[in-house]
Amino acid sequence: MKLKALIIAVVMSVMSIDASVYELPIKVVDGVEYYYYTVKAKETLYSLSRQFEMSQEDMLKYNPSLADGLKAGATLYFPVDELNQVTTPIYHIVKKGESVYGISRQYGMEIDVLIAMNPSAKDGIKVGEKLVIREGKKILAPKQDVATSTTEDVQSVENDPTIFLQSQVKVEEEVADVVEEKSYKIALFMPFMLNEEVMSNATRTYLDFYKGFLLAAKELSNSGQLVDIYAYDTYGNIDSLSMVLSQPEMSEMNVIIAPPGENKSVELIASSVDNPNVAVFNAYYANDTTHLEYRNVIQANIVRDKMYNKAIARIVEEYGDYVPVIIGSQANTNKAAIAEMFKAEFEKNGVESQRIIFKRSLQPIDLTSLNKNTKYLFIPLSSSERELEKCVDALIDFRKGSKANVAMLGYPEWVVFNNAMLSKLHSLNTVIYSRFYFNENGDKEKEIANKFEEFYKTPMKKSPPIQAVLGYDCGYYVIKALRGGNGDLFDGRFRYEGMQNVFDFTKSTTTIGAENQALYMIYYRPKGNVDCVIF
């Protein structure tokens, strides 16, 4: 029987693990040996990393639940087999303006440790010099007594997604004839910022992406080709990203998930990887055009110009018998250029537009030029919620007194509105174009939110676009596409309608790589329901 399972091999690349961790006792969970430690009151991630002589990054690598904080009484687990494996050396190339102190801080090392590994650094460092950050070596663990785990121990371990999935594979090995099978490899680059003393909200957001990605991997773990997932901390800067890209295993990856937060990161990744068959998946930079120059880049967002063109074509086709009314104040006109694009397209079809400019707020007298028997589509000059508040009530009153249909065009920024303003969008029969949409009241959406909270013991952060759901959609698509394309993400392309994102990648005569073509049209109906069309 062929074992089909998804192995999560989360590799946080930076620091080595010193021998002190091997002084911990060992227990067996589902046939797998783990060093374990029970957290005491007032201990912190920083203090434990010093105690174990282990980087905070590696602490989180083996116990992802630490991302939500360290709690007294919690049990930390460190897989024995993995800690006894050969480590890959890591180097840093000195750049202009760098110091020994700065480099040691970058990697979370003590200065004396860095100098001990690089004796010449005691007398200073030079630009271009190659420093050893981690040596390649085999770490030997001392013999210890092995404890036996209880049911309660197993449940606590299963809160850690990495350990849970590895344990699942171990159990299957006992009852199946295992056939060695080449695995696909995914490198997940994220600014986890594990060198932070206090985790920022931005970092927690990116950790949600990572958790969502792993959740999708868990759901796909019982079928298909083996997939290894490696997570790397890019620390939110290009230098750290360059260091990660210099690691020899990068050429063995099938896919690299590009990180947010670093300008030009997609281009750097595409140009740095020696193997042209390594796909670069850009989920964050909507306006990045690296896919136009590199055949291995996949732009996961519909690019801006194509988004506007599709939205305009759809609106003019659907509201062709409406009169467009450009409306707003002179205080904020950040969407003036887009409003003019809609106006021009209507005029191509023989429909003349009207324009209403008000001062402080829209008043009923400002709308007296409009005919209550005519269909109107209001097109605001601004996406600002503050500007919308200046006119929305008067527009709602006009719609109530109108004998014909009235609607309003909305902008992608508005999908985050809730409560009172959301109700007003419904009242105005608003249609919004957007790259993403998450219906938190949908059955499937509630199910994924519940799974996330059940698995990680904490709810996902709901600020749109929801990063946990983006991570889930990316993980689900990438793994399925890799399997469908026998390791080639381009060959395995398919249309995927996810929980929040739709991926529909095509290549054209103007595209060397691939780009997403999908766009949402979201209709906020007056009766309170929402209709969503993907095209």
Side-chain angles (χ1 to χ4, degrees):
M1 183 186 299
K2 189 175 184 181
L3 175 63
K4 293 184 177 180
L6 185 78
I7 301 174
I8 304 297
V10 182
V11 180
M12 294 293 192
S13 114
V14 173
M15 290 293 293
S16 61
I17 301 173
D18 294 305
S20 62
V21 72
Y22 301 119
E23 298 173 3
L24 296 175
I26 296 175
K27 68 170 61 173
V28 178
V29 180
D30 283 356
V32 182
E33 291 185 347
Y34 295 95
Y35 297 107
Y36 70 97
Y37 178 79
T38 302
V39 179
K40 299 179 179 62
K42 297 185 179 180
E43 286 184 320
T44 65
L45 181 60
Y46 176 75
S47 68
L48 289 179
S49 71
R50 296 293 297 271
Q51 177 181 329
F52 296 149
E53 297 180 306
M54 180 187 296
S55 71
Q56 294 181 48
E57 184 170 28
D58 280 325
M59 295 281 290
L60 185 62
K61 162 190 169 180
Y62 298 117
N63 299 273
S65 59
L66 289 178
D68 298 313
L70 190 65
K71 298 179 181 178
T75 303
L76 305 182
Y77 293 89
F78 308 94
V80 172
D81 286 346
E82 184 171 342
L83 297 187
N84 288 345
Q85 299 302 310
V86 176
T87 61
T88 302
I90 293 177
Y91 303 100
H92 177 88
I93 306 301
V94 178
K95 299 175 180 62
K96 184 177 180 180
E98 289 186 319
S99 65
V100 173
Y101 173 76
I103 294 172
S104 67
R105 290 284 294 175
Q106 179 177 339
Y107 295 106
M109 304 172 68
E110 297 293 336
I111 292 180
D112 56 351
V113 174
L114 181 60
I115 292 177
M117 299 174 68
N118 302 271
S120 63
K122 184 177 182 180
D123 300 319
I125 55 177
K126 299 178 181 179
V127 174
E129 185 176 350
K130 187 177 184 180
L131 300 180
V132 177
I133 302 301
R134 181 174 74 185
E135 297 175 331
K137 60 182 179 180
K138 186 173 180 68
I139 304 173
L140 300 176
K143 278 287 184 180
Q144 300 190 32
D145 294 331
V146 178
T148 302
S149 64
T150 64
T151 302
E152 182 178 353
D153 294 326
V154 174
Q155 291 173 342
S156 66
V157 171
E158 289 182 349
N159 294 336
D160 181 323
T162 303
I163 294 176
F164 177 83
L165 290 174
Q166 290 175 336
S167 298
Q168 183 181 53
V169 172
K170 280 287 186 180
V171 171
E172 291 187 38
E173 286 178 352
E174 295 175 2
V175 297
D177 296 325
V178 180
V179 177
E180 287 296 326
E181 185 175 7
K182 180 181 178 181
S183 62
Y184 302 139
K185 299 181 185 300
I186 301 172
L188 177 60
F189 291 178
M190 278 285 140
F192 294 114
M193 308 301 291
L194 296 174
N195 57 345
E196 292 179 337
E197 288 286 340
V198 179
M199 188 176 297
S200 66
N201 288 332
T203 300
R204 292 183 183 277
T205 296
Y206 298 136
L207 281 168
D208 261 18
F209 179 97
Y210 166 66
K211 291 177 179 179
F213 202 100
L214 289 185
L215 190 60
K218 176 182 180 295
E219 292 193 6
L220 296 171
S221 64
N222 294 321
S223 63
Q225 184 81 13
L226 297 172
V227 178
D228 298 334
I229 300 174
Y230 301 79
Y232 296 85
D233 192 349
T234 60
Y235 291 100
N237 64 73
I238 286 294
D239 287 344
S240 295
L241 176 60
S242 298
M243 186 277 295
V244 171
L245 288 168
S246 69
Q247 302 310 304
E249 69 266 23
M250 288 301 121
S251 62
E252 300 174 3
M253 298 294 166
N254 295 92
V255 183
I256 294 176
I257 309 297
E262 293 99 34
N263 189 31
K264 298 290 186 182
S265 62
V266 180
E267 183 178 359
L268 176 61
I269 296 170
S271 62
S272 299
V273 178
D274 294 332
N275 185 350
N277 295 319
V278 178
V280 181
F281 193 85
N282 171 23
Y284 280 98
Y285 292 100
N287 297 324
D288 184 272
T289 57
T290 307
H291 64 288
L292 301 180
E293 302 177 24
Y294 293 87
R295 64 167 296 276
N296 60 331
V297 175
I298 296 179
Q299 169 57 274
N301 300 277
I302 182 171
V303 295
R304 181 174 54 192
D305 289 346
K306 290 187 177 179
M307 176 178 69
Y308 292 157
N309 291 338
K310 289 193 77 167
I312 291 169
R314 175 80 180 194
I315 290 295
V316 172
E317 177 185 356
E318 189 168 354
Y319 296 89
D321 56 343
Y322 284 61
V323 174
V325 179
I326 312 298
I327 191 165
S329 72
Q330 295 179 342
N332 186 330
T333 58
N334 67 326
K335 296 296 182 181
I338 302 171
E340 288 299 318
M341 292 169 63
F342 278 97
K343 171 179 174 290
E345 195 64 25
F346 271 102
E347 290 179 349
K348 283 183 183 179
N349 288 270
V351 180
E352 292 296 324
S353 65
Q354 296 190 36
R355 181 180 295 268
I356 297 175
I357 305 298
F358 55 86
K359 292 183 178 180
R360 294 184 178 179
S361 62
L362 185 66
Q363 300 298 320
I365 194 172
D366 297 321
L367 302 173
T368 54
S369 62
L370 303 183
N371 188 328
K372 293 189 176 183
N373 294 310
T374 301
K375 295 180 180 179
Y376 291 107
L377 176 68
F378 292 105
I379 304 177
L381 285 169
S382 173
S383 61
S384 162
E385 183 174 5
R386 184 176 180 180
E387 287 298 304
L388 182 59
E389 288 174 345
K390 294 178 181 180
C391 65
V392 65
D393 290 333
L395 293 178
I396 290 174
D397 288 341
F398 176 82
R399 185 179 184 279
K400 289 179 179 178
S402 178
K403 298 178 181 179
N405 288 335
V406 172
M408 181 168 65
L409 172 70
Y411 297 107
E413 294 90 335
W414 294 4
V415 298
V416 304
F417 290 168
N418 52 35
N419 302 327
M421 186 55 74
L422 178 61
S423 175
K424 291 178 180 181
L425 293 184
H426 282 283
S427 296
L428 275 172
N429 197 21
T430 305
V431 55
I432 296 176
Y433 63 92
S434 176
R435 294 184 174 101
F436 65 90
Y437 175 68
F438 184 74
N439 177 18
E440 62 181 21
N441 295 316
D443 292 338
K444 292 192 303 181
E445 289 80 359
K446 286 181 179 178
E447 182 180 357
I448 194 65
N450 291 336
K451 284 182 178 179
F452 186 96
E453 185 166 359
E454 178 182 350
F455 197 52
Y456 294 109
K457 309 305 179 186
T458 183
M460 58 189 183
K461 296 167 183 60
K462 294 291 185 70
S463 179
I466 300 173
Q467 292 299 301
V469 183
L470 176 61
Y472 178 89
D473 283 342
C474 288
Y476 202 95
Y477 175 82
V478 167
I479 292 170
K480 292 280 285 186
L482 275 179
R483 288 171 169 172
N486 293 320
D488 189 314
L489 200 64
F490 284 88
D491 289 347
R493 284 174 293 158
F494 68 102
R495 181 180 172 88
Y496 169 72
E497 295 187 9
M499 297 291 179
Q500 176 179 257
N501 307 83
V502 176
F503 297 135
D504 186 8
F505 300 107
T506 62
K507 284 191 173 185
S508 66
T509 55
T510 60
T511 302
I512 296 177
E515 64 184 26
N516 195 359
Q517 302 293 314
L519 184 67
Y520 287 93
M521 297 299 293
I522 309 160
Y523 300 86
Y524 295 83
R525 305 300 190 188
K527 292 185 178 180
N529 58 307
V530 178
D531 294 329
C532 188
V533 177
I534 304 166
F535 70 105

